[in-house]
Amino acid sequence: MCTFPIADALKAPSARVCLFAAISEIGATVRSRGTDFTLTLRIADQSRPAGISVTFFADNTALLPCVKSGGDVISLHNVVITMHGEFFVTFNKKFSSFALFEGKESTKCSPYQTSMKYHGSKHDNELLNQMRIWLTYNPPGMKDLELQLRSLKTDATFDLVCKVLHVHENNGEWIFYVWDGTDTPAAEFQAILDAEAVESSPLHLEGAPPPWEVLCTMPCVGTVLRVFANRFFKEVFHLQKNIYWVRFCNITCKQEFGIWKGMLSPSSRIRLLSHEDASVVDRLKIYDSRVANQVHRQPMASLLEASNVSDVEYETAGYTTLMESLTHEQVTHKFKTLVRVVAAYPCRASELRLLLTGSFCLRLTLEDPTARIHAYVHKDDGAKFFGGFLTAEALIKKMNKLLGIPEEDEEGVPLIRNPPWIWFCLKSYRLDKNDPWGSRRYRVFGTEIRD
């Protein structure tokens, strides 16, 4: 039987045809309404780059195609073109067969999976080479619109390849906690006349954070982004296993209170990816290289600027992310971290002066790419933290430095503030021995802000 381009096969609905095409989308394996399992792939070739869907049925999942990566090649024998609103291909388990080949990165001509009834033809190698050449110039998916967490943009629609770590449903809204091993860009904040108005910033977006038991399953390096969806996706049942990498298609992002959030729209789709998918392998290589180097574990944005704002007692101590502290097996511990001060309370000059006299505490909101926390400068440590008993003007100047508020110039009041990366020594402690995790607090120690 001859192998047809997809466009030619569409001219013969209900006939059995053979196809040789690239896999552009991988669906989820689900149980059909009967006793079978079903899987849908989308395939494309030179004649139909937009592709067409192929639906497979089998008695058990082992008999379905197990695609390693989008862009791999599939040979289909004796499949039927069907019309139901749109054209699609039906794989009949009684007489259809398939073979899977590696895509453009490979030179192997033997398939890595075949169905029991598949028999190759003498033209397979020629068709495979032609398909790989086409894939070189026409990769599947939307690579031009594919971003990593480290390169997120607002007001842009793009694809995001990431691992889903946790799924939560709240009153019909689905929240996906996703990660790719990189850090979201550090946010800039609206500038203000002085530090007095910067008093609070939320630690989380809407909804409670995951419980400690769930946090402990998440990576401690790299941002975990929340992606919100107000509708159900059939892939949710698979994603709740917390083992899948996916491609979110047509996702958008924005910032709220300096925290990035992703949003899925009615046009968004979720594609499940194999661990052998080229995009997944690439991200894992980047992450493995990053965590192998102590410096590269630090916030990516901090590597672009020197941190010279503070002096710390733990100068030789290693670097710890906030997530590492939040998931530490002991509530009480000390560590050194590299963070930004995104808010402070109080920060009026008159109240800061009282801090130096030991009248009350200063609460700082600290963030790194992995988390936000509140940390307190206790009343006994205020003078040391600010470097002595300073005037009101000197205090405000140092507070502005912490919060990234630039000095006014000839052009007037600045529009944005960008908090610098600062080394802090922190200690974690509990207020209630009967509720150590619920009463956990952070205290700044051994840290002095430079002039």
Side-chain angles (χ1 to χ4, degrees):
M1 184 178 290
C2 294
T3 300
F4 291 92
I6 295 176
D8 290 348
L10 297 182
K11 300 174 183 177
S14 301
R16 297 186 189 182
V17 296
C18 295
L19 303 172
F20 216 96
I23 298 167
S24 58
E25 295 184 27
I26 306 169
T29 300
V30 296
R31 187 179 289 277
S32 70
R33 294 179 180 177
T35 59
D36 285 343
F37 292 91
T38 181
L39 168 70
T40 298
L41 303 177
R42 193 164 186 86
I43 62 173
D45 67 5
Q46 299 96 318
S47 71
R48 192 177 174 90
I52 187 173
S53 295
V54 187
T55 303
F56 298 82
F57 296 90
D59 298 328
N60 64 72
T61 57
L63 300 178
L64 294 170
C66 184
V67 183
K68 289 183 178 180
S69 174
D72 282 356
V73 177
I74 189 167
S75 174
L76 295 167
H77 287 183
N78 293 316
V79 292
V80 178
I81 304 296
T82 309
M83 179 67 175
H84 186 72
E86 65 172 335
F87 285 111
F88 64 94
V89 181
T90 299
F91 182 96
N92 190 304
K93 63 183 181 181
K94 294 181 180 179
F95 52 79
S96 302
S97 61
F98 72 86
L100 289 171
F101 302 83
E102 293 179 347
K104 62 178 178 137
E105 303 296 335
S106 177
T107 57
K108 295 180 181 178
C109 292
S110 56
Y112 63 79
Q113 183 188 1
T114 59
S115 60
M116 290 183 292
K117 297 184 178 67
Y118 185 82
H119 298 285
S121 74
K122 62 181 180 179
H123 301 295
D124 279 1
N125 287 358
E126 180 183 355
L127 292 169
L128 179 60
N129 288 332
Q130 290 175 358
M131 188 57 58
R132 283 173 173 165
I133 292 172
W134 179 71
L135 282 168
T136 300
Y137 301 99
N138 301 272
M142 294 180 283
K143 291 289 185 179
D144 292 341
L145 298 175
E146 182 179 298
L147 299 178
Q148 292 179 274
L149 292 184
R150 63 182 175 184
S151 54
L152 290 186
K153 300 176 181 178
T154 58
D155 302 321
T157 302
F158 54 91
D159 285 9
L160 179 67
V161 173
C162 53
K163 185 176 183 180
V164 178
L165 305 173
H166 179 61
V167 180
H168 176 69
E169 190 268 336
N170 182 31
N171 295 325
E173 182 176 54
W174 293 89
I175 306 175
F176 303 92
Y177 293 77
V178 306
W179 168 92
D180 71 0
T182 65
D183 301 339
T184 52
E188 293 181 333
F189 298 86
Q190 183 178 358
I192 51 178
L193 291 175
D194 53 46
E196 295 184 4
V198 185
E199 295 188 339
S200 65
S201 188
L203 300 183
H204 315 282
L205 296 177
E206 59 263 35
W212 185 78
E213 295 77 11
V214 174
L215 284 180
C216 289
T217 66
M218 297 183 178
C220 292
V221 176
T223 300
V224 176
L225 176 75
R226 289 189 184 191
V227 177
F228 294 81
N230 57 13
R231 67 182 178 94
F232 177 79
F233 288 84
K234 65 179 184 298
E235 291 82 3
V236 163
F237 295 122
H238 294 265
L239 300 182
Q240 288 175 324
K241 299 177 182 178
N242 308 329
I243 60 173
Y244 278 97
W245 283 78
V246 303
R247 178 188 292 273
F248 285 115
C249 302
N250 296 334
I251 184 175
T252 59
C253 279
K254 68 176 183 178
Q255 294 180 17
E256 290 184 359
F257 306 104
I259 302 175
W260 286 93
K261 66 180 292 187
M263 295 163 292
L264 299 181
S265 67
S267 66
S268 299
R269 290 174 294 166
I270 300 177
R271 302 179 190 170
L272 301 180
L273 300 179
S274 160
H275 287 280
E276 297 184 60
D277 186 275
S279 296
V280 174
V281 172
D282 178 60
R283 280 151 181 76
L284 289 175
K285 283 182 179 179
I286 293 173
Y287 175 71
D288 290 342
S289 174
R290 180 183 184 189
V291 296
N293 185 302
Q294 183 71 9
V295 174
H296 291 166
R297 292 178 76 254
Q298 297 174 16
M300 289 180 167
S302 73
L303 302 178
L304 303 177
E305 61 179 80
S307 178
N308 56 3
V309 179
S310 66
D311 292 310
V312 292
E313 291 181 1
Y314 275 24
E315 191 64 45
T316 60
Y319 164 71
T320 299
T321 69
L322 294 182
M323 181 65 86
E324 284 176 311
S325 174
L326 289 171
T327 58
H328 197 281
E329 61 182 0
Q330 295 181 342
V331 173
T332 303
H333 61 274
K334 298 179 180 180
F335 62 101
K336 186 179 77 172
T337 190
L338 187 58
V339 295
R340 303 198 309 161
V341 181
V342 297
Y345 176 80
C347 51
R348 294 175 175 83
S350 58
E351 294 169 320
L352 291 175
R353 288 283 293 167
L354 292 175
L355 170 67
L356 300 185
T357 63
S359 298
F360 53 78
C361 300
L362 170 67
R363 188 189 70 193
L364 302 176
T365 304
L366 309 181
E367 74 166 15
D368 73 0
T370 68
R372 269 188 188 178
I373 64 170
H374 289 318
Y376 295 86
V377 179
H378 278 218
K379 56 187 179 181
D380 298 332
D381 301 327
K384 176 175 174 54
F385 180 72
F386 283 106
F389 293 89
L390 307 180
T391 64
E393 181 181 358
L395 277 174
I396 289 299
K397 185 175 181 180
K398 283 202 172 184
M399 185 60 74
N400 285 351
K401 179 188 293 187
L402 286 177
L403 296 168
I405 301 174
E407 296 181 3
E408 295 184 27
D409 53 24
E410 295 80 7
E411 297 182 1
V413 179
L415 297 178
I416 58 172
R417 63 183 180 93
N418 189 9
W421 292 97
I422 306 173
W423 286 105
F424 272 82
C425 289
L426 300 176
K427 61 176 68 174
S428 172
Y429 64 99
R430 55 176 170 77
L431 298 178
D432 182 357
K433 66 179 181 180
N434 296 318
D435 182 22
W437 298 107
S439 66
R440 194 226 321 252
R441 298 290 186 273
Y442 285 95
R443 175 174 178 174
V444 177
F445 80 99
T447 305
E448 181 178 330
I449 304 304
R450 295 177 180 176
D451 293 329

